[in-house]
Amino acid sequence: MSKHITVRLDKRGVSCVAKLLDDVAPRTCAAVWDALPLSAPVFHGKYARNEIYTLLPGFAPDPGKENTTVTPIPGDLCWFSFDSDDLGNPAYGYENTTGTGTTGAIVDLAVFYGRNNLLINGDQGWVPGNVFGAITENLDEFAAACQDLWMGGARGETLSFSRL
């Protein structure tokens, strides 16, 4: 039986449904599923284009690479693993100089809502992500809210993931 989750922009009151891709990313799906619900401030991608994401203190062991991509498509949910040194550069735009303010593992859960994304970073090069989910319901409305996040600002908004 497929597992489904709700992805929500809380302040904007919009959500979508995503199917977990257990068949191609079982370790990543298990790590996310076992940790739900998850919620934290949202950011809009600066390099990848049509991406929103949240940064969380490591909540599970790194699943390693599985079902990776550097060209996510609309509706993809991706997992990225970083540490505070990876995100400590002020160029990333976080309000402190250590990214999330944590040390150690940082999990980036991202939602891609439009086309023509490319996961390359000027400081680190290619940044492949594990595709662990695919939005199956309400992508258009969610994408419009993501675009509003880009144009209207992310302050005060949270991105939440929960079991359906």
Side-chain angles (χ1 to χ4, degrees), residues 1-10 14-22 25 28-39 52 54 56 59 75-79 107-112 130-139 142 159-164:
M1 180 118 200
S2 297
K3 294 177 186 163
H4 290 81
I5 62 172
T6 299
V7 181
R8 181 174 175 83
L9 286 168
D10 297 310
V14 65
S15 64
C16 59
V17 173
K19 176 185 175 188
L20 294 187
L21 304 176
D22 287 301
T28 308
C29 289
V32 171
W33 183 259
D34 292 345
L36 295 177
L38 295 165
S39 184
I52 63 167
T54 191
L56 301 153
F59 55 81
D76 277 352
L77 305 183
C78 290
W79 165 299
V107 174
D108 171 336
L109 295 181
V111 179
F112 292 87
N130 291 359
V131 182
F132 70 91
I135 295 174
T136 58
E137 296 177 29
N138 206 31
L139 177 57
F142 197 81
L159 179 60
S160 297
F161 299 82
S162 60
R163 294 182 184 188
L164 185 63

Side-chain angles (χ1 to χ4, degrees), residues 39-41 43 54-59 80-89 94-108:
S39 184
F43 301 93
T54 191
L55 301 173
L56 301 153
F59 55 81
F80 301 90
S81 296
F82 297 106
D83 64 36
S84 58
D85 290 335
D86 293 329
L87 301 179
N89 183 329
Y94 302 111
E95 291 184 336
N96 63 53
T97 59
T98 57
T100 63
T102 64
T103 58
I106 297 170
V107 174
D108 171 336

